[in-house]
Amino acid sequence: MVEIARTLQNAGYATWCVGGGVRDALLGVANLDWDLATAAPPPEVRRLFRRTVPVGIEFGTVGVFGRDGRMHEVTTFRRDVHTDGRHAVVEFGASLEEDLARRDFTINAIAWDPIARRLADPFAGQADLEARVLRAVGDPEARLLEDRLRALRAIRFAARFALTIDPATWSAIRTSAPHLPRLSPERVRQEIEKTLEQVDRPSTAFRLWRDAGAFGSLVPPLAAVPDQVLEAVDCLARPGGAGRPLRRTLRLAALLSALEASEAERALRALRASNQDVATVTALVEGWHRHGDALRAAADHADAVPAAALRMAVSRIGRLRVAGTMRLLAARWRAEGGPTGSPVWRLHRRLLRIAFQDPVEVADLAIDGDDLRALGVVPGPAMGQVLRALLGDVLEEPERNHREWLMAAVRRWQASGAAGP
Ligand code: ATP
Ligand code: MG
C-alpha cells in the first residue's frame, strides 16, 4: 500500500489512506483493508500501475494490486453534488477536506499520509475515538437524510467499537426511522448480516435498532423484541469469515426466534433471503418452539426423560439439524438463566448419538416398499402411512427394527381389519 501511495505522490498527486483502515489502526484493531484517496483522476491511476481493475469507475474507484499481491482501492477525491436518500452523484476535482467531509462519521473521516506519516483529521475523529463517541460529520439530520443507510451504519459502528452515539446523531437516527423502508430489502439484510458478523455482542446493536424504531419500520414483528432474545444472539459465536455458514444462520435464527416459525419465514422472504437460508433458519426457529421446553426439561433432569421421547424429538428435528438446533436452544437457555454447561453438553451428545446410531427416519427402516407391496399394501399415501406408523414403533423401541418384526406388525394390522395402522 505504501508503494502505491509513493508512486502517486511522486507523480504529483496528493494521496492518503482513508476510511476503516485508519480508524482500525488508531483503535489497534487488525484490518488489512487499506483504501487510498488521491487527487489523481481515474485514468491517471490506471496509467501509473501495471495491474489495475476498474472496480467502480463511475465513482472514481480503481483497484490497484500492490507488491503484496493484494488489491487496494484507490478512489479519486470527490464531493457529492446530489443525493436521493441512498445514491450520490459525485464530482471529481475535490480536495482532501471535501472528500473527508462527505464521509459519514468523524471516526471514518480521518486520513493518514503513509509517506509523510501524518494524520489529517479536520473533524476531530481521533478525539471522538478516544472519547468513544460516534458522531456524524457535519449536521446529523442533513447527513442522515442524504443517505438513509447511515442510520443503520451508525448503530453498527457504535456496537462494534463500543461507542456512545452522540445525542444529536442519535436524535437524527430516530428521525430517520420512519423513512428507512426506502432502503432496498437487500441492503437492510446486508446490514443485519454485517452486524451478526462484525459485532461481538449484537444485542447492543439490535437494542438500538429497536429503540430507534428501525425494527418497527423494517422488520415490524421485531419492533418490541425482548432483551432476552437479543442476548441469546450474543451467546452464539461470531461467524468470522467463510467456512462456518452455520454460525451465521444460527445468529440469525436466534434473532428471529422471537417470532413464530411462519412469521420468521415471512420476515426472511421480505428481506430477500436465499431459499437455503429461509429453509435453515425457519427450521431452527421451529425447533426452538416445538422442542425447547421438552429438551430443557431433559437437560434439567437428565435421566428422568425417557429415551423414546428424545428419539421422537430427534426424528422430528431431522438428523442433520440436531447439532444446530441444540446450539440455538443452548443459547436461548443461557440467555434466560436456564441450564448451561455440562448438563446441556451431555444432552447434546446424547441426541447426536441417537441421530447417528438409531433409526430415526423412514429411510432407516429395515423394510421397504417392495416388502410392503408383497404384503398387499398399495403404493401411495397408504404406504406412507404404514411406514410412518412403523417408524413410530421403532422410535419407541429401536430393537424392533428388523424385517421380521416389521412384517409381523403389518400382518397384525391387516388381520385386525383396521383401515390403517
Ligand atoms: P468495514 O471495516 O466495515 O469495511 P469501513 O469503514 O471500511 O468499515 P466501508 O463500508 O468499507 O466501511 O466504507 C469505507 C469508508 O467509506 C468509510 O469509512 C466511510 O469513510 C466511507 N463511507 C462508506 N459508506 C458511506 C456512506 N453511506 N456515507 C458516507 N460515507 C461512507
Ligand atoms: Mg471497508
Side-chain angles (χ1 to χ4, degrees), residues 368-374 377-389:
D368 59 20
D370 288 338
D371 296 323
L372 291 178
R373 259 194 303 277
V377 181
V378 220
M383 189 175 282
Q385 206 187 345
V386 170
L387 286 167
R388 276 193 302 281

Side-chain angles (χ1 to χ4, degrees), residues 53-106:
V53 191
V55 192
I57 209 78
E58 64 277 33
F59 304 108
T61 303
V62 175
V64 176
F65 284 89
R67 251 186 250 136
D68 52 3
R70 294 178 56 92
M71 194 193 74
H72 297 275
E73 291 194 353
V74 178
T75 305
T76 304
F77 292 153
R78 52 197 192 169
R79 69 177 80 84
D80 294 344
V81 288
H82 168 77
T83 57
D84 67 355
R86 179 70 266 270
H87 308 283
V89 176
V90 298
E91 191 173 85
F92 303 132
S95 64
L96 172 69
E97 280 66 29
E98 286 174 304
D99 187 86
L100 295 177
R102 60 159 200 89
R103 293 172 184 273
D104 44 11
F105 309 111
T106 62

Side-chain angles (χ1 to χ4, degrees), residues 171 250 359:
S171 139
L250 270 173

Side-chain angles (χ1 to χ4, degrees), residues 215-344:
F215 275 139
S217 44
L218 294 172
V219 193
L222 290 179
V225 57
D227 284 351
Q228 216 172 57
V229 174
L230 297 179
E231 280 151 21
V233 184
D234 300 352
C235 296
L236 290 155
R238 267 174 62 185
R244 315 200 96 137
L246 181 61
R247 285 193 175 182
R248 187 178 54 85
T249 36
L250 270 173
R251 279 191 149 193
L252 191 53
L255 174 66
L256 294 174
S257 69
L259 313 179
E260 289 303 323
S262 58
E263 230 178 355
E265 176 172 0
R266 236 175 293 129
L268 287 163
R269 295 230 181 266
L271 291 168
R272 310 274 193 276
S274 70
N275 287 335
Q276 197 188 337
D277 279 0
V278 174
T280 308
V281 173
T282 307
L284 288 167
V285 172
E286 188 169 317
W288 161 251
H289 290 296
R290 271 205 191 174
H291 307 289
D293 289 342
L295 291 179
R296 181 181 165 147
D300 278 331
H301 318 280
D303 305 315
V305 173
L310 295 185
R311 285 192 293 269
M312 219 80 85
V314 168
S315 175
R316 289 178 79 175
I317 291 168
R319 173 172 284 145
L320 296 179
R321 294 210 201 273
V322 168
T325 303
M326 265 311 285
R327 277 156 72 186
L328 172 62
L329 267 49
R332 289 285 319 244
W333 295 337
R334 175 181 290 271
E336 64 190 37
T340 58
S342 56
V344 174

Side-chain angles (χ1 to χ4, degrees), residues 147-219:
D147 177 355
R148 297 299 181 193
L149 192 63
R150 288 178 188 152
L152 303 181
R153 286 174 58 85
I155 291 175
R156 172 161 53 91
F157 286 118
R160 179 172 167 200
F161 300 118
L163 313 175
T164 309
I165 300 177
D166 143 76
T169 301
W170 174 245
S171 139
I173 293 172
R174 298 185 51 149
T175 311
S176 300
H179 306 284
L180 291 176
R182 288 196 46 184
L183 293 170
S184 74
E186 289 80 2
R187 269 292 171 180
V188 174
R189 191 187 73 241
Q190 205 177 51
E191 260 316 304
I192 294 176
E193 286 178 350
K194 281 190 176 182
T195 302
L196 296 174
E197 291 259 345
Q198 296 179 335
V199 182
D200 264 328
R201 300 177 57 87
S203 66
T204 338
F206 292 132
R207 237 182 245 129
L208 295 172
W209 273 60
R210 180 191 63 199
D211 297 347
F215 275 139
S217 44
L218 294 172
V219 193

